Amino acid sequence: MSVSGGGRLPAALDAAMTALNASVHIDSALWREDIAGSIAHARGLARIGVLSDEEAQQIVAGLQQIAGEIERGEFHWDVDKEDVHMNIESRLTALVPAGAKLHTGRSRNDQIATDLRLWARRRAAELEQALLELAGVLLRRAEEHLDLLMPAYTHLQRAQPSRVSHHLMAWQELLWRDLGRLRDAARRLNESPLGAGAVAGSGFALDRAGVASELGFERPMRNSLDATASRDFLMELGSALAILAVHLSRIGEELVIWSTEEFGFVRLSDRFTTSSSMMPQKKNPDVAELVRGRAARVIGDAVSLLVLEKSLSFGYGRDLQEDKPPIFAAAESVLVCVRALSGAIDSMTFNAARLRAALGAGHMCATDVADQLVKLGVPFRNAHHTVGALVRRAEELGVQIDQLPRSEVRAIHPELTEELIDSMFSVEAAVERRQGIGGPARVRVQEAIADARVRWGLSE
Ligand code: ARG
């Protein structure tokens, strides 16, 4: 029989209702937080004289014993006791009679809100750590490949010469903002619902501030209705995770493209790829595809959290029990993806010959040829037109513009010297010219890496 009916509803729940109602198979993941919250609550009750010091000590010891039982896998989770709260409380009461006093001035509504905030804070810190590791990998690889050039693409068409490090550092920038979103969400959610009770607080003079500070919260939540009925902290964390997952999917997509036979820019380690059960020659970029695919689920999780709370009246509604599967899944998905990508990027190898071939010289420098004409006094629009004609001519001959007969190149401007022509066709020179803030010139990328090391707190 479900215990939650208590004296009011002594009849057993219908089996179908139990299946819908019980959440212990999911919320038992919150046991650490639930026990921490109960310990803080028990001590708070002792401070206001609701529990004697001895009772509080017995309760704390009982809760610590339960934590050990759960950790060792000895705890019996009972679906008839519905959720993590009732399972732990009923075991506590069996161990310590004073356990029956623990729920004084408390409701499962403020209890679950507290557990979730503690959980979200802990997971955000783990995610931060994983992101830090991924950033460290990107910075290290960017440093290693500082001199490796590659095309920069727009519309997935070769656009301008750039460097591999500049590209890796672009990924790092996305992740840096993701870190900011996670930290911001974690900071904002760090308030204590305990003492809000079911909806309108408690008649006991609970030490809300003391309990909040014992749990490492910044302050007690200011409004008991809000404290128990709001889950925007999960929408926020879920949204930050969805954005992060989308970013990981973009990195994944690039790794898929780069590891094709057609591009051949990188080779993923065997530890992150699989072969085909049918085609023995295959080496599939599974890690990148799975990360790309997993983002779909994380987006779905964020949407679930938004829709769950949409139009929900105040205060607590049981709908809110459904917040756990999506946020648990989103956090786990993103952690797994960040860690797998870290390993894949850490262990992949770049193919310098293929990157060089993709640069293909010539056309890649078309902007630089136009810029050279501008320096000789030609308005940019006219220069653009002239170089466009040069590219068309090269395509007629089936060559890159740097392979055109020099006489045809020189003909585009009377002041073009051999030296100027060589420089405007050189991809190295083209990248080095891009010295502006945020550009791919070697010195700028070196600075970007150094700056990122400081921001992420990653020493060399
Ligand atoms: N299992 C509930 C949840 O996850 C806890 C609060 C239940 N409150 C209640 N009145 N039934 O939201």
Side-chain angles (χ1 to χ4, degrees):
M1 181 179 101
S2 166
V3 295
S4 62
R8 166 80 172 82
L9 304 170
L13 284 180
D14 186 272
M17 177 55 186
T18 296
L20 177 64
N21 185 51
S23 57
V24 66
H25 56 296
I26 292 161
D27 59 28
S28 54
L30 296 170
W31 67 267
R32 277 186 195 80
E33 289 75 18
D34 202 68
I35 287 177
S38 287
I39 289 176
H41 181 62
R43 290 187 177 140
L45 289 178
R47 284 196 294 278
I48 61 167
V50 170
L51 294 178
S52 68
D53 286 344
E54 201 194 337
E55 286 171 327
Q57 274 162 19
Q58 288 168 352
I59 288 174
V60 170
L63 288 166
Q64 283 163 346
Q65 177 179 332
I66 293 170
E69 291 171 3
I70 298 173
E71 221 149 34
R72 292 189 297 274
E74 293 164 12
F75 190 87
H76 172 65
W77 295 103
D78 182 359
V79 70
D80 282 336
K81 297 199 179 81
E82 198 178 309
D83 57 24
V84 61
H85 322 298
M86 308 292 272
N87 269 270
I88 290 177
E89 189 184 323
S90 106
R91 173 72 182 137
L92 176 69
T93 309
L95 289 171
V96 182
K101 297 186 177 182
L102 178 61
H103 214 53
T104 310
R106 182 175 78 168
S107 154
R108 282 184 293 163
N109 295 353
D110 58 348
Q111 203 177 350
I112 188 64
T114 303
D115 292 3
L116 275 171
R117 283 173 188 267
L118 290 172
W119 174 90
R121 195 177 71 186
R122 170 165 68 83
R123 290 300 256 175
E126 276 177 72
L127 283 154
E128 249 190 52
Q129 195 50 45
L131 268 186
L132 216 72
E133 275 156 37
L134 177 52
V137 167
L138 289 173
L139 294 179
R140 195 174 54 68
R141 306 247 56 191
E143 253 155 14
E144 262 170 36
H145 292 293
L146 200 53
D147 291 313
L148 198 54
L149 301 188
M150 70 176 286
Y153 292 79
T154 64
H155 313 266
L156 199 51
Q157 306 281 324
R158 292 177 198 167
Q160 290 177 336
S162 179
R163 62 179 71 241
V164 165
S165 314
H166 192 52
H167 202 108
L168 299 180
M169 290 302 286
W171 293 351
Q172 170 276 143
E173 288 296 325
L174 306 184
L175 301 175
W176 172 249
R177 290 191 294 275
D178 289 317
L179 181 80
R181 274 181 282 272
L182 282 178
R183 284 183 174 166
D184 194 38
R187 185 182 52 76
R188 208 185 336 275
L189 66 78
N190 199 25
E191 300 182 324
S192 174
L194 270 184
V199 57
S202 162
F204 292 95
L206 298 171
D207 175 16
R208 292 199 60 203
V211 170
S213 111
E214 176 166 349
L215 291 170
F217 286 123
E218 289 288 324
R219 68 186 76 79
M221 289 188 75
R222 286 181 283 261
N223 181 296
S224 64
L225 264 153
D226 174 48
T228 46
S230 299
R231 296 289 183 271
D232 50 295
F233 68 103
L234 295 184
M235 292 191 262
E236 208 172 327
L237 181 60
S239 304
L241 291 174
I243 295 172
L244 172 47
V246 167
H247 287 164
L248 299 179
S249 82
R250 294 187 72 175
I251 296 174
E253 170 69 0
E254 299 218 283
L255 294 181
V256 169
I257 294 172
W258 288 1
S259 58
T260 55
E261 197 63 52
E262 287 73 7
F263 270 72
F265 288 180
V266 297
R267 196 174 163 79
L268 293 169
S269 151
D270 292 352
R271 290 188 292 125
F272 292 93
T273 53
T274 65
S275 190
S276 156
S277 58
M278 184 184 190
M279 301 162 284
Q281 85 284 11
K282 290 292 289 287
K283 177 174 163 89
N284 299 323
D286 299 57
V287 62
E289 297 168 87
L290 288 164
V291 165
R292 206 172 51 175
R294 189 60 78 93
R297 277 165 58 177
V298 181
I299 293 165
D301 294 331
V303 172
S304 293
L305 289 163
L306 291 164
V307 179
L308 189 60
E309 212 171 315
K310 183 196 166 294
S311 313
L312 192 68
S313 69
F314 280 85
Y316 176 86
R318 193 65 189 282
D319 318 39
L320 292 178
Q321 176 162 302
E322 302 296 336
D323 56 6
K324 281 161 236 41
I327 196 65
F328 287 1
E332 190 55 31
S333 286
V334 171
L335 254 182
V336 166
C337 289
V338 170
R339 288 178 179 153
L341 264 191
S342 296
I345 294 171
D346 194 38
S347 57
M348 72 189 186
T349 49
F350 287 91
N351 186 327
R354 295 298 298 268
L355 287 160
R356 184 77 220 175
L359 280 164
H363 293 359
M364 188 68 57
C365 294
T367 313
D368 293 82
V369 178
D371 288 350
Q372 181 58 62
L373 294 181
V374 168
K375 285 176 194 161
L376 295 174
V378 181
F380 182 76
R381 271 295 147 228
N382 303 2
H384 185 280
H385 187 82
T386 302
V387 181
L390 205 62
V391 171
R392 190 156 22 108
R393 173 74 184 134
E395 285 187 342
E396 275 165 22
L397 299 179
V399 296
Q400 296 279 307
I401 48 176
D402 62 328
Q403 294 159 328
L404 282 169
R406 275 295 159 110
S407 56
E408 292 190 29
V409 177
R410 251 194 325 267
I412 65 174
H413 197 282
E415 289 168 49
L416 270 182
T417 62
E418 282 299 319
E419 202 185 336
L420 287 178
I421 292 173
D422 283 344
S423 155
M424 72 191 194
F425 283 150
S426 154
V427 286
E428 284 79 10
V431 177
E432 279 318 295
R433 265 193 294 275
R434 291 167 161 75
Q435 296 264 343
I437 295 173
R442 194 175 196 280
V443 58
R444 288 291 93 81
V445 175
Q446 261 178 321
E447 285 167 7
I449 295 171
D451 168 70
R453 281 210 177 279
V454 173
R455 276 188 284 125
W456 287 89
L458 289 160
S459 51
E460 254 146 288

